[in-house]
Amino acid sequence: MRRFDGAVAVVTGGGQGIGAAIAHALAAEGTAVVVAARRSDRIEHVATEIRGAGGKAWAVHCDVTDPASVNDLAKAASRHAGAIDILVNNAGVVHSAPLAKTTLDDWNRVLAVNATGTFLCTRAFISGMLERKRGAIVNVASVAGLDGARYIAAYSAAKHAVIGLTRSVAAELEGTGVTCNAVCPGFVDTEMTRESVERVVGKTGRTLDDALTAMLASASQGKLIHPNDVAIEVLELCDPAGPRPNGKLIKITA
């Protein structure tokens, strides 16, 4: 038997990058996966790939900043797959600029997607898990949520909020059979990171290689992390036969 046979998971931000890698990894271990994001074409592609490999997957459009959309996700997930055992809060956006050039709209958008979205999705699914006395919530935070860095004040603040939420939810869940943990990767080889590198190039005139090297050095990384490396850690935190930690923060660097 595979590790997660019979389990059902919801993965937000599942249309690309880390979220897509997590969705594929869960499905490969027997999980029925609801892939959620704002880009319907991308989540349909991921769900189709999973089904093509023999897995179970559904694509559900969701804007994690909208309470009504999150409630619709919860209803659709239950309708498609049944009770939800695993929630991976991965939806996120990044913004980089000096603090003086960070607008209020920039700040609100980054906090809304990364922090408020994680809160809304957790709130939508936690009651069912508590009723069944089983479940795993994993939040995809960042090393930026553990340490600050230049030019990412909004993103770092949002990821610090995700870590604070993780710890507080874990404290509420202690002894219930439900767990809440977080992974904190550095720079990952994703479209989001490539866009960040291109912004540095546009603002500084550096080459792509020089811009990437500078970004990695700022996080004390030697190379980009592969999305599958993040997925492996997420699966460990969800494994019903594993150690089942609660309130743990897993730092992932290359």
Side-chain angles (χ1 to χ4, degrees), residues 186-190 193-194 197 212 215-216 221-226 229 254:
F187 287 109
V188 183
D189 188 4
T190 62
T193 297
R194 289 189 288 274
V197 173
L212 176 59
M215 285 177 56
L216 292 174
Q221 283 183 231
K223 61 180 181 179
L224 290 172
I225 300 161
H226 195 281
D229 293 331

Side-chain angles (χ1 to χ4, degrees), residues 142-144 146-147 183-189 215-226 229-230 233 249-254:
S142 168
V143 293
L146 301 172
D147 301 295
V183 292
C184 304
F187 287 109
V188 183
D189 188 4
M215 285 177 56
L216 292 174
S218 72
S220 300
Q221 283 183 231
K223 61 180 181 179
L224 290 172
I225 300 161
H226 195 281
D229 293 331
V230 181
E233 297 294 347
L249 310 175
I250 305 296
K251 186 175 182 179
I252 307 170
T253 56

Side-chain angles (χ1 to χ4, degrees), residues 12 38 62 94 117 130 144 180 187 192 200 204-205 217 220 245 252:
T12 69
R38 288 179 295 181
C62 181
V94 67
L130 285 169
C180 183
F187 287 109
M192 185 181 293
V200 172
T204 66
S220 300
I252 307 170

Side-chain angles (χ1 to χ4, degrees), residues 46-56:
V46 172
T48 299
E49 286 185 329
I50 290 172
R51 291 192 295 266
K56 294 181 180 180

Side-chain angles (χ1 to χ4, degrees), residues 136-151:
I137 301 165
V138 180
N139 299 325
V140 179
S142 168
V143 293
L146 301 172
D147 301 295
R150 295 186 299 170
Y151 311 135

Side-chain angles (χ1 to χ4, degrees), residues 115-211:
T116 303
T118 299
F119 157 70
L120 290 174
C121 290
T122 300
R123 188 180 65 174
F125 289 97
I126 197 170
S127 295
M129 293 181 179
L130 285 169
E131 288 174 6
R132 296 184 299 276
K133 299 182 180 180
R134 72 173 190 273
I137 301 165
V138 180
N139 299 325
V140 179
S142 168
V143 293
L146 301 172
D147 301 295
R150 295 186 299 170
Y151 311 135
I152 58 167
Y155 182 72
S156 180
K159 291 302 187 180
H160 272 77
V162 170
I163 287 174
L165 177 65
T166 300
R167 286 172 164 155
S168 294
V169 172
E172 289 189 28
L173 293 175
E174 190 66 39
T176 66
V178 186
T179 61
C180 183
N181 299 283
V183 292
C184 304
F187 287 109
V188 183
D189 188 4
T190 62
E191 182 177 314
M192 185 181 293
T193 297
R194 289 189 288 274
E195 290 172 353
S196 295
V197 173
E198 290 169 0
R199 281 195 295 271
V200 172
V201 170
K203 291 177 181 179
T204 66
R206 292 177 173 175
T207 66
L208 286 171
D209 286 345
D210 286 347

